[in-house]
Amino acid sequence: MLDTKFDELMEFPCAFPYKVVGDASNTLADRVVEVVQRHVPGDYAPTSKTSSKGTYNSITIRVTVQNKEQVETLYTELAAIEGVKRVL
């Protein structure tokens, strides 16, 4: 489990943006939404950008989180997606 101070810095519930950077893949956005849906079901429309060389995709998704645990769980699970390099 992550040891963060989100509970001290934020008021819940709140919209929290996750930026997931991974290898260029047509399915990365779908896999990101799939992970988010498991924890915070909803209607998501992530935005996707491809790096200048086409090597990486970055997916930004806004999630209304209810507590610090949800924030941390999503960081951990999004980072575990195959091909993901970073979650910001």
Side-chain angles (χ1 to χ4, degrees), residues 4-12 14 68:
T4 66
K5 305 263 187 245
F6 288 120
D7 54 335
E8 297 169 21
L9 302 171
M10 301 167 65
E11 286 187 29
F12 294 99
C14 69
K68 167 185 165 173

Side-chain angles (χ1 to χ4, degrees), residues 26-88:
N26 293 335
T27 63
L28 182 58
D30 293 337
R31 289 181 284 151
V32 167
V33 170
E34 186 180 309
V35 167
V36 172
Q37 288 281 14
R38 270 198 305 251
H39 299 283
V40 189
D43 191 16
Y44 296 103
T47 58
S48 178
K49 289 185 181 172
T50 303
S51 65
S52 58
K53 292 183 181 175
T55 313
Y56 300 103
N57 284 358
S58 74
I59 310 298
T60 302
I61 187 167
R62 291 185 84 70
V63 181
T64 300
V65 291
Q66 302 299 319
N67 53 48
K68 167 185 165 173
E69 290 73 25
Q70 272 189 338
V71 174
E72 294 174 352
T73 297
L74 284 169
Y75 266 117
T76 303
E77 295 215 4
L78 290 168
I81 295 172
E82 185 179 339
V84 167
K85 303 298 182 198
R86 229 174 226 117
V87 180
L88 309 169

